[in-house]
Amino acid sequence: MDSLGLYVSIPFCRAKCTFCNFASDSFAPGRLPAYIETLTREIAHARHRATAIGAPLPELVTTLYLGGGTPSLLSADQVQTVFHLLKSHFTLAPDAEITLEAAPGQLADPTLEAFQHHGVNRLSFGVQSFIDRETAAIGRLHTAAQCLAELDRVRRAGIPNLCLDLIAGLPHQTEASWLHSLDQAIATGVPHLSVYLLELDEDSRLGREALSSGTRYGAAALPTDDDAAHFYELACARLETAGIPQYEISNFAHPGHHSRHNLKYWHREPYLGLGLDAHSMLLTPDGATLRFSNPDDLDRYAVEIAHREQESRGQGSGSPHTKLEPAAASSTHPIAPPPALTILSTRHTPTAACISAVDRLTDQAVLEETLFLGLRTNDGLSTADLARTFPASALAPLAPIFQEAERDGLLRRTNDRITLTPHGRLLSNEVFGRLLAS
Ligand code: SF4
């Protein structure tokens, strides 16, 4: 694979959403300059580090995604600093897709100009709902009117390639309010929509409240799971009718507006994550898959980058990457593989000079990833590609699982393709679980 995707995490938010369990937080703004400084040092050493772990980086970057967090909170000077380093150490393709995640009302004009100056050509807004009561309940700071005004502003500034995120299953959401949010999103004319089902996690305030039957964050006003699933199915149907067909479990787009960056995740193409809790997948020259991630704590992240610098200067203590042992389960990330995944791999044990482990996936793990990442997309899996890539002995145990899932209405087989049915997309974790159990 001769191109690379880059993900840059800016994990600073103005307020922490009640459902959020990401490493991002409303850190004191005074910590942002130090974070940018650490990030730029990581960027400067990224190529050396990838070579050191056996996966030299492809030269050409075809997609760049600035997420987090709320990277639209950067100042124009900080945007300049980050892009200067990125462009010093990577070659951005002239037609690279460069996406910025933004919170409505948190993208100052000079910052927008700086991002545009450096080639940002796609903006993704975390709207979540066009009902103010629902966004307020989850701790978002914007109103529906502000979202619409923001879309007008960035379009006038010359960025037509826009994406909106919506969440099904928010506190106070009803079928009527969900249809209003969907119709409002369609009416904006944006070419790309992401629709997520709210997942409660005990690491979020809303999740903890749901477990303890509290009332402060609206847990008592959550729709039932069945209602939330119904909202998701309504979205699939409504967006299809509106000419914004689904192309992945959570993503819908006009033809030609698919997220090229996210497709790299689902197609298992190499990407490098930079910044707090950023995940990476690289390929070695002999075709092995390496997965690794950065620490999810600001202080440990800074320590890790300092160690890597020492290592690249040849001052590390001991010889890293010498001992192999079984890996633990992979950690999760909003854009990483689903949490149900257990990576089968060998792991480079961290040493003082290399804090984060690097997992080298086994052939079985590569097969599992190929299955569940491929099935996330509406294109699904190609049986011919599977047969070309994996030995028959590895594929044989899957045949009865596929047949059973087909009988249960979760999978569909047409010619060369295996895809999830609409019902299967709703129960995708069940399908993935059956495949992994095989
Ligand atoms: S959901 Fe997004 S915007 Fe909200 S706190 Fe988490 S990272 Fe920040």
Side-chain angles (χ1 to χ4, degrees):
M1 194 62 62
D2 55 3
S3 73
L4 181 70
L6 278 183
Y7 175 81
V8 177
S9 170
I10 307 293
F12 287 70
C13 297
R14 201 160 271 169
K16 182 83 171 168
C17 301
T18 61
F19 61 83
C20 180
N21 66 345
F22 305 157
S24 313
D25 211 335
S26 50
F27 298 116
R31 301 195 70 176
L32 182 54
Y35 177 78
I36 296 294
E37 207 264 325
T38 306
L39 176 66
T40 54
R41 284 165 35 221
E42 185 188 10
I43 294 169
H45 285 84
R47 199 166 283 283
H48 177 274
R49 199 248 176 166
T51 302
I53 62 174
L57 296 178
E59 185 60 37
L60 194 64
V61 173
T62 50
T63 65
L64 166 59
Y65 196 103
L66 299 125
T70 313
S72 59
L73 289 176
L74 293 181
S75 69
D77 284 348
Q78 288 164 334
V79 174
Q80 164 66 23
T81 300
V82 172
F83 271 90
H84 172 71
L85 259 291
L86 286 172
K87 289 178 175 176
S88 301
H89 294 276
F90 297 96
T91 304
L92 279 174
D95 66 342
E97 175 194 88
I98 308 181
T99 305
L100 169 69
E101 274 187 356
Q106 298 178 35
L107 175 59
D109 282 335
T111 297
L112 176 58
E113 283 167 23
F115 275 122
Q116 281 186 280
H117 173 75
H118 286 290
V120 166
N121 49 28
R122 189 169 179 270
L123 271 174
S124 177
F125 282 105
V127 169
Q128 320 310 6
S129 164
F130 280 99
I131 301 288
D132 293 348
R133 186 184 187 203
E134 294 171 11
T135 45
I138 54 170
R140 304 292 287 181
L141 302 176
H142 55 76
T143 62
Q146 282 175 314
C147 291
L148 297 176
E150 195 76 314
L151 291 175
D152 278 348
R153 182 172 73 103
V154 297
R155 277 187 170 127
R156 280 199 309 275
I159 303 188
N161 199 2
L162 302 174
C163 172
L164 300 185
D165 291 355
L166 295 177
I167 298 181
L170 294 177
H172 307 293
Q173 205 167 54
T174 63
E175 180 172 327
S177 77
W178 175 240
L179 289 176
H180 172 82
S181 287
L182 278 176
D183 288 345
Q184 185 68 81
I186 292 167
T188 64
V190 298
H192 190 288
L193 281 163
S194 298
V195 176
Y196 300 103
L197 257 176
L198 183 70
E199 284 188 23
L200 290 179
D201 185 289
E202 61 186 1
D203 286 335
S204 72
R205 287 175 292 166
L206 185 57
R208 282 193 296 276
E209 182 171 281
L211 286 174
S212 62
S213 306
T215 54
R216 182 170 173 197
Y217 300 117
L222 283 165
T224 64
D225 288 350
D226 284 349
D227 283 344
H230 175 56
F231 296 167
Y232 172 80
E233 289 177 321
L234 283 175
C236 296
R238 200 88 159 193
L239 294 173
E240 175 81 33
T241 304
I244 315 175
Q246 185 171 30
Y247 69 98
E248 193 267 347
I249 285 178
S250 302
N251 289 284
F252 305 76
H254 287 161
H257 285 84
H258 300 175
S259 165
R260 286 165 52 197
H261 184 80
N262 286 353
L263 281 169
K264 285 185 191 289
Y265 300 139
W266 304 314
H267 291 165
R268 300 190 70 259
E269 294 170 17
Y271 57 90
L272 179 72
L274 300 158
L276 189 77
D277 200 29
H279 289 227
S280 302
M281 192 212 83
L282 297 178
L283 301 175
T284 66
D286 62 353
T289 302
L290 303 187
R291 284 194 179 274
F292 50 94
S293 60
N294 281 342
D296 60 4
D297 170 272
L298 280 183
D299 294 328
R300 282 194 291 117
Y301 169 61
V303 170
E304 161 112 3
I305 299 308
H307 275 284
R308 283 188 204 162
E309 287 174 321
Q310 279 185 354
E311 187 182 33
S312 71
R313 290 190 210 106
Q315 295 167 359
S317 58
S319 169
H321 323 307
T322 50
K323 184 179 160 198
L324 298 175
E325 65 177 26
S330 166
S331 60
T332 62
H333 186 274
I335 53 169
L341 168 69
T342 298
I343 300 274
L344 296 174
S345 63
T346 51
R347 165 168 288 201
H348 293 288
T349 304
T351 69
C354 175
I355 296 172
S356 291
V358 177
D359 291 333
R360 184 183 173 100
L361 269 57
T362 63
D363 292 345
Q364 179 64 23
V366 171
L367 171 59
E368 290 176 357
E369 279 197 1
T370 303
L371 295 176
F372 72 73
L373 290 175
L375 283 174
R376 291 189 65 97
T377 65
N378 284 41
D379 277 348
L381 302 165
S382 154
T383 51
D385 285 349
L386 288 175
R388 252 193 310 274
T389 312
F390 300 100
S393 58
L395 297 175
L398 298 172
I401 312 286
F402 283 144
Q403 280 162 10
E404 188 192 22
E406 209 176 346
R407 270 198 307 275
D408 293 345
L410 302 171
L411 275 186
R412 180 185 295 137
R413 280 196 272 195
T414 344
N415 302 324
D416 172 50
R417 314 298 310 184
I418 303 173
T419 53
L420 290 176
T421 61
H423 188 53
R425 277 181 211 113
L426 203 49
L427 299 179
S428 55
N429 281 342
E430 150 106 24
V431 179
F432 301 150
R434 289 188 194 182
L435 289 169
L436 296 186
S438 75

